Amino acid sequence: MLPHSTDYPTFYQPYVKRVMEPDVKKMLSASLVDLQQFVKSICESAADQRYEPGKWSVKEVLQHCIDSERIFAYRALCHARGEQLRLPGFDQNAYASVMETGLRSLESLVNESVLVRQSTVTLFENFTEKDLLRTGFVGETSIKTFCWAYIIAGHFIHHQEILINRYHLKPIS
């Protein structure tokens, strides 16, 4: 089942449209392979690179992707379990302002990226069809649980494309 535009907030459409595999679990498993290949190909010399002053470094982009995936997966868990409280949004710039990626190695961020995606894949593999179709809320907007998988995978692809096009990292082949 592919997400329909009424299944999730339009804010997430740029991410969802990047992954058009109708089998949500197959799509997410494949995304792990792609993520792993890409992040492991990032060279240490690029880790602190910014494509212009004031923009995030490569390591900050990776940390942002890790943070976002954890938040999105938590939301998926809440919605799959029937949580009806309205979950809060998050301000990515506020999170980024306190990241201290300069204290971390690229290798640690690469390893964490892979581990977080493995955890996300396992989470979704164990959701039932009923779990995947449950609806929850973030703020005032509703979203079906399975859409979080598309948002997670598409969000990383979005940032991968930025890393390739603006930071000039080599794409995986």
Side-chain angles (χ1 to χ4, degrees), residues 47-162:
D48 294 310
Q49 174 186 335
R50 299 171 192 277
Y51 71 88
E52 67 180 51
K55 295 299 183 180
W56 291 345
S57 70
V58 171
K59 289 194 312 189
E60 288 168 335
V61 171
L62 290 177
Q63 185 66 68
H64 162 72
C65 289
I66 292 165
D67 291 350
S68 298
E69 182 158 340
R70 281 194 163 119
I71 291 166
F72 297 155
Y74 168 74
R75 290 172 177 174
L77 174 64
C78 290
H79 295 159
R81 299 297 186 249
E83 178 65 71
Q84 288 304 298
L85 291 177
R86 296 176 187 280
L87 301 175
F90 79 103
D91 180 344
Q92 67 181 13
N93 293 317
Y95 278 54
S97 72
V98 296
M99 290 191 285
E100 295 195 27
T101 57
L103 302 175
R104 296 195 59 185
S105 68
L106 175 62
E107 181 182 14
S108 75
L109 288 160
V110 166
N111 291 339
E112 187 177 0
S113 296
V114 173
L115 288 170
V116 168
R117 181 58 55 90
Q118 287 171 334
S119 176
T120 300
V121 168
T122 301
L123 176 68
F124 276 87
E125 282 175 346
N126 290 292
F127 285 158
T128 66
E129 198 68 23
K130 280 176 81 173
D131 294 334
L132 291 170
L133 293 173
R134 284 196 183 96
T135 299
F137 293 87
V138 175
E140 298 301 313
T141 59
S142 66
I143 184 167
K144 288 188 177 176
T145 303
F146 79 95
C147 295
W148 288 115
Y150 290 91
I151 292 164
I152 288 166
H155 179 259
F156 183 81
I157 291 168
H158 163 77
H159 285 289
Q160 178 181 349
E161 289 171 357
I162 291 170

Side-chain angles (χ1 to χ4, degrees), residues 1-3 19-28 129 132 146 150:
M1 75 193 119
L2 286 170
V19 282
M20 297 310 293
E21 164 62 50
D23 183 329
V24 67
K25 294 177 184 186
K26 180 179 174 184
M27 176 279 298
L28 203 53
E129 198 68 23
L132 291 170
F146 79 95
Y150 290 91

